[in-house]
Amino acid sequence: MPLKWVLQWQPSAGTTVNTQILNEVTQCVESINGVKEGRWKATLTYYKPILREQPNKYYFIIRGQRIVLEADSSIQTIMEKLQSYKSRVAIYFEGFQYQLGDFQLRVGKVTPTHSDNLRGIIMEVEYLPLSSIDKSRQVMEEFVDIWQEAISKRSLPGHFMHMEPNFVEYGLSDHYSSQHTAVQYATVMAQLIATQSVQAARN
């Protein structure tokens, strides 16, 4: 499977994300010759553990014990029947997919389900030729540096941040898989929820 990095928009101090920044980021992809290939959508549900949804596949992550499991759609029914966990929040990712040579970019907004309230901006960078995390690290870093430079020219109040989890703690190898993607989204989602909690406490 091609390797992916999931990056989250980090607003500058005292600023928040808004649709204008999202529009500028999207325009930036097109300005560096990104070819729009269509829409992109994903939904994550935070249960305390985190569920990552893909077509016909579910990933169940227990972050405290560093466990990631692949499951089928019955996992949601099981969770409801167990009544051990309560669904706290579901987050919806929606945007566009672009092709840039050997890279595929997915850029979009983060909103709670059934709401248009913008909670964040996310970017998924996929490097198609390699599936080794270590071997692709340098080319990924160089691509993200070029991307950050293109973004900085627009003087936007913030930057994209990559928080790479320790995949070894989850028992995942250097060979990239869907489980690696699930763990990255779980990390981003936990960060989004923590940020919202801090903002709510300040208000």
Side-chain angles (χ1 to χ4, degrees):
M1 178 178 181
L3 183 128
K4 295 180 186 178
W5 277 14
V6 179
L7 295 93
Q8 177 187 355
W9 181 258
Q10 183 69 41
S12 300
T15 67
T16 56
V17 291
N18 57 54
T19 53
Q20 178 60 34
I21 293 172
L22 177 60
N23 291 338
E24 291 266 4
V25 168
T26 304
Q27 289 169 19
C28 195
V29 180
E30 293 173 9
S31 75
I32 57 172
N33 300 321
V35 178
K36 189 182 284 187
E37 292 189 324
R39 298 196 70 82
W40 159 68
K41 294 179 182 179
T43 304
L44 278 76
T45 304
Y46 185 66
Y47 278 89
K48 275 283 202 241
I50 293 174
L51 198 66
R52 159 76 174 139
E53 183 181 338
Q54 280 193 353
N56 306 318
K57 287 188 179 180
Y58 290 77
Y59 294 95
F60 188 74
I61 298 171
I62 304 172
R63 293 180 68 240
Q65 285 76 42
R66 299 292 189 263
I67 297 170
V68 56
L69 303 170
E70 186 173 314
D72 61 30
S73 59
S74 65
I75 190 68
Q76 288 183 308
T77 308
I78 292 167
M79 292 291 289
E80 288 164 12
K81 287 184 177 176
L82 279 174
Q83 296 185 337
S84 301
Y85 297 91
K86 185 178 178 183
S87 174
R88 278 187 54 188
V89 66
I91 294 182
Y92 186 58
F93 297 79
E94 181 182 21
F96 292 99
Q97 179 171 298
Y98 298 88
Q99 190 79 32
L100 278 90
D102 288 336
F103 293 90
Q104 207 161 53
L105 263 67
R106 294 173 188 92
V107 179
K109 63 183 179 180
V110 183
T111 58
T113 50
H114 314 300
S115 169
D116 287 330
N117 184 20
L118 188 66
R119 291 275 292 270
I121 299 169
I122 202 92
M123 181 174 71
E124 189 182 284
V125 179
E126 185 172 12
Y127 184 54
L128 302 171
L130 286 176
S131 59
S132 164
I133 295 170
D134 286 339
K135 287 179 182 174
S136 60
R137 188 176 306 280
Q138 185 176 349
V139 72
M140 290 293 277
E141 287 173 352
E142 288 172 1
F143 179 82
V144 169
D145 285 347
I146 291 166
W147 168 252
Q148 299 279 33
E149 190 178 324
I151 285 282
S152 69
K153 288 177 181 172
R154 293 177 177 256
S155 302
L156 298 174
H159 63 280
F160 277 102
M161 182 175 62
H162 178 235
M163 299 177 296
E164 185 175 344
N166 186 341
F167 294 121
V168 174
E169 289 182 357
Y170 287 88
L172 299 175
S173 71
D174 177 63
H175 187 77
Y176 196 86
S177 68
S178 298
Q179 283 91 336
H180 289 78
T181 304
V183 170
Q184 287 192 78
Y185 271 97
T187 303
V188 167
M189 191 171 187
Q191 177 70 22
L192 283 167
I193 290 168
T195 303
Q196 291 298 312
S197 299
V198 168
Q199 288 174 351
R202 285 177 182 162
N203 295 335

